[in-house]
Amino acid sequence: MQVVFGPIISRRFGISLGVDVSPNKKQCNFDCVYCELRANKPVDYQITVIPVQTIVDSIAHHLQKQSNIDVLTFTANGEPTLYPFLEDLILESKKILKQYPHIKTLILSNGSKFLECKEALQHFDIVKFSLDSAVLQNFKKVDKPSKNLNLDCIKNGIKAFAKDFKGDLIAEVLIVKDINDDRESNKQTAAFLHSIPNLKRIDLSTIDRPSAYKVYPISNQKLYELSEIFEGMNVCIATRKNDTTQITKQNLNQDEIITLLQRRPLSHLDSKNLLTQQSLAVLANMLQNNEIVIKNIAGVNFYCPKP
């Protein structure tokens, strides 16, 4: 039983040591079509529960050997907020982390239990939730949730939690070809995410690994096109490594770059994918002349207009 795994290098969170609160089998209230795990009927609670002390001891053991990490990431073969002792677990883990003050705690969730787990989640430094669509039809097709879940309740729970959360709150939207890749439904998703207080960043992605169902990714080019819908928000594009389609690069002058950044700050990685070498030189010159600034938003550097 491998409770702790890694460390691995994450493009958006640095060096991460993973904590799997359901290491023996998939236990999730979703059955997402893009999941890397085997398709399985959604469950509303964990049937197999690992004792808190077992997990904590494993964390302590691994940190003694490898503490040069940026984040301790709580996840699961399924949904980590189904773990019934989540608050005890994070509080005990925080005790261990007192001797490693540089390490932040992160939980990767589908966002379905934020109302019930509000108190436990408040103790994490970073909370990342997924919302693949704010439109019921698409939500059901992509995430295949438990019949006991209600999308409106999920959205209300996310907003209620966000109102009081003091850490970094991040959303992820994963796009599946021919299911939730239309502009209209993504406008509704963007509108909902825009209404969430204290949301720091949105990670926009698509399928990049073999999945449980026969579904397909969209191109990196289309990801960037859809990202324009999320205007006024900090959007990081998680591009597919094996996508061979060519991204159309923009050749922008200084005024056009300012206009672009005013609509949506641009991550360092996205700037390399979207801008020509000439435009990147203009961007670098603007930064050097203090005409724009770099802000680190939940672990990702963004070019932003000067306040």
Side-chain angles (χ1 to χ4, degrees):
M1 179 178 66
Q2 188 177 6
V3 174
V4 176
F5 59 94
I8 61 173
I9 298 176
S10 165
R11 286 187 294 175
R12 288 165 282 180
F13 296 106
I15 303 174
S16 167
L17 189 66
V19 180
D20 190 341
V21 297
S22 179
N24 295 325
K25 65 183 199 177
K26 181 177 178 178
Q27 300 184 94
C28 192
N29 52 1
F30 285 8
D31 185 31
C32 301
V33 295
Y34 56 78
C35 184
E36 300 164 41
L37 303 175
R38 185 177 178 179
N40 200 40
K41 184 179 178 181
V43 297
D44 295 306
Y45 57 89
Q46 283 196 356
I47 298 168
T48 303
V49 180
I50 307 299
V52 170
Q53 197 59 50
T54 300
I55 301 174
V56 171
D57 288 346
S58 185
I59 292 171
H61 175 73
H62 278 76
L63 287 177
Q64 286 173 2
K65 296 189 299 180
Q66 171 62 281
S67 62
N68 186 27
I69 63 170
D70 299 301
V71 289
L72 186 66
T73 304
F74 292 78
T75 180
N77 279 318
E79 172 52 36
T81 59
L82 294 186
Y83 185 69
F85 310 116
L86 186 61
E87 185 167 22
D88 290 340
L89 176 59
I90 183 59
L91 290 174
E92 290 302 314
S93 300
K94 287 272 189 173
K95 291 178 183 178
I96 296 171
L97 291 175
K98 284 182 179 179
Q99 57 185 308
Y100 310 105
H102 63 284
I103 299 175
K104 292 187 175 182
T105 53
L106 160 68
I107 187 168
L108 305 178
S109 171
N110 62 22
S112 63
K113 303 276 288 180
F114 273 27
L115 202 56
E116 298 93 325
C117 297
K118 183 178 179 181
E119 296 304 318
L121 293 170
Q122 294 289 348
H123 300 292
F124 286 87
D125 299 307
I126 310 167
V127 172
K128 182 174 179 178
F129 68 92
S130 62
L131 185 77
D132 300 320
S133 184
V135 176
L136 182 59
Q137 183 180 2
N138 290 354
F139 168 69
K140 286 184 173 181
K141 285 182 179 179
V142 174
D143 296 323
K144 293 184 176 292
S146 162
K147 293 180 181 179
N148 295 317
L149 292 173
N150 177 284
L151 180 57
D152 286 336
C153 290
I154 290 173
K155 291 194 289 186
N156 289 337
I158 291 170
K159 290 183 75 170
F161 165 73
K163 194 178 298 183
D164 298 322
F165 184 53
K166 305 302 182 190
D168 290 334
L169 183 62
I170 302 168
E172 176 154 30
V173 180
L174 190 143
I175 306 296
V176 181
K177 185 178 181 181
D178 298 329
I179 300 181
N180 65 333
D181 60 345
D182 62 294
R183 293 187 68 86
E184 187 53 43
S185 72
N186 278 287
K187 285 180 181 178
Q188 294 185 53
T189 301
F192 170 71
L193 292 176
H194 206 281
S195 73
I196 296 176
N198 306 315
L199 183 65
K200 296 289 181 69
R201 195 179 84 215
I202 299 168
D203 292 342
L204 191 63
S205 64
T206 189
I207 300 168
D208 199 29
R209 297 173 185 171
S211 51
Y213 290 84
K214 195 174 182 180
V215 288
Y216 303 96
I218 63 171
S219 68
N220 289 339
Q221 177 68 40
K222 187 161 186 180
L223 266 181
Y224 279 113
E225 290 171 3
L226 289 176
S227 73
E228 296 172 2
I229 295 171
F230 297 82
E231 187 173 325
M233 293 179 272
N234 303 311
V235 181
C236 179
I237 313 299
T239 52
R240 290 173 56 221
K241 297 175 184 177
N242 59 350
D243 185 6
T244 57
T245 58
Q246 198 72 23
I247 296 174
T248 303
K249 295 196 175 188
Q250 302 177 60
N251 191 36
L252 305 179
N253 60 34
Q254 181 168 323
D255 289 340
E256 290 169 330
I257 289 175
I258 287 291
T259 300
L260 173 65
L261 299 184
Q262 286 173 340
R263 287 203 311 269
R264 181 173 66 80
L266 197 63
S267 76
H268 181 71
L269 175 62
D270 292 340
S271 69
K272 290 183 177 180
N273 288 335
L274 284 177
L275 301 180
T276 63
Q277 287 298 320
Q278 183 177 346
S279 295
L280 288 173
V282 174
L283 189 70
N285 188 60
M286 293 170 69
L287 184 64
Q288 186 175 5
N289 292 336
N290 202 30
E291 293 165 319
I292 58 173
V293 296
I294 286 182
K295 293 183 180 179
N296 187 282
I297 300 173
V300 174
N301 285 330
F302 282 82
Y303 292 105
C304 301
K306 192 174 179 182

